[in-house]
Amino acid sequence: MSSDVTVVLAHGAWADGSSWSRVITGLWAAGVRAAAASLPLTTLQDDVAALDRTLERVGGPVVLAAHAYAGGVIGSTRAANVTALVYIAALAPDEGETVADVFYRTTPHPDAPTLEPDAHGLLWLPAEAFPAAFAQNASAEDRALLEAVQRPISPECITAAVGRPLWKDRPSWYLLAEDDRMIPAETQRFMAERMGATVRKHGGDHMPLVTAPSVVTDLLLEAVDTAARGL
């Protein structure tokens, strides 16, 4: 597969662009360019601005993908070159909602961590959460890497109400992680159905981009193919 469409990848909370590494190489092997946007995780506005700079730098048609928190970010861009959206176990607030509204919509999984700001007002993921809830299907080595590179998120990212989300104006896909202990499958199903997204299911954890990268890559290639045929 060779395409003029570029896939831009937005990482979630407690992560960075390296979380997409296996997906990026999978796309490369299929002849599709990818770029990982680096989000500061300081405010929702800051994150959207950082994403927009990446979209401007890439130019040309884009399939825009998000994991987890970043679903609120990709839904808030107004970049004209975005042709489709792909949500990987991601949060999708509607107009007037916050990321926290959908994240806390249902009862948390019993193994989900309790999140409290540190002395600087930032949210870190506790070490025990990586094997218990964040990436329980990952290898010990992968979990060690995820913990080592984690980046904290400011509560300001998840408490700002969003405007009209882009998923109301672009085709969207959703990968529902059925054993997600961070964002319950029930919440993911609600959001995907509300979006009218094309839904694919995977019986894995919150980090399929690490633990099931081929599943994520295949979904992205599906979106790229659809976008390319529509250009």
Side-chain angles (χ1 to χ4, degrees):
M1 182 178 184
S2 183
S3 173
D4 292 330
V5 178
T6 300
V7 176
V8 172
L9 306 159
H11 63 82
W14 310 298
D16 62 13
S18 67
S19 60
W20 292 102
S21 59
R22 290 173 185 156
V23 174
I24 292 169
T25 56
L27 292 170
W28 173 81
V32 175
R33 294 184 300 274
S38 182
L39 307 181
L41 304 180
T42 47
T43 68
L44 179 62
Q45 183 179 11
D46 289 347
D47 291 339
V48 175
L51 174 63
D52 284 344
R53 289 192 294 271
T54 300
L55 294 170
E56 180 182 353
R57 177 175 59 84
V58 167
V62 164
V63 166
L64 182 53
H67 174 242
Y69 156 72
V73 180
I74 70 169
S76 298
T77 184
R78 296 295 178 263
N81 59 331
V82 176
T83 62
L85 301 171
V86 181
Y87 289 73
I88 309 299
L91 295 159
D94 201 349
E95 186 171 5
E97 292 180 339
T98 69
V99 170
D101 287 336
V102 283
F103 183 67
Y104 292 109
R105 181 177 179 272
T106 57
T107 303
H109 189 280
D111 293 329
T114 299
L115 301 173
E116 296 289 345
D118 67 6
H120 304 284
L122 300 173
L123 298 169
W124 292 85
L125 199 64
E128 61 271 16
F130 287 90
F134 194 70
Q136 70 269 18
N137 295 343
S139 67
E141 291 83 0
D142 282 338
R143 289 198 299 266
L145 177 60
L146 289 168
E147 182 181 351
V149 302
Q150 78 154 305
R151 297 169 59 199
I153 185 170
S154 167
E156 293 184 40
C157 296
I158 63 173
T159 55
V162 305
R164 178 183 173 87
L166 191 60
W167 49 259
K168 291 190 173 183
D169 304 307
R170 300 288 192 279
S172 59
W173 282 258
Y174 197 105
L175 181 63
L176 195 160
E178 296 178 302
D179 194 24
D180 192 327
R181 300 177 186 176
M182 297 293 294
I183 304 172
E186 177 186 346
T187 296
Q188 295 183 43
R189 188 174 299 108
F190 164 78
M191 293 183 294
E193 291 176 353
R194 181 171 69 174
M195 294 163 63
T198 298
V199 179
R200 301 288 181 261
K201 298 178 183 179
H202 174 62
D205 62 14
H206 182 63
M207 291 294 292
L209 53 168
V210 173
T211 58
S214 63
V215 174
V216 176
T217 302
D218 287 347
L219 182 60
L220 291 168
L221 292 175
E222 180 182 337
V224 167
D225 181 60
T226 300
R229 286 188 280 109
L231 294 175

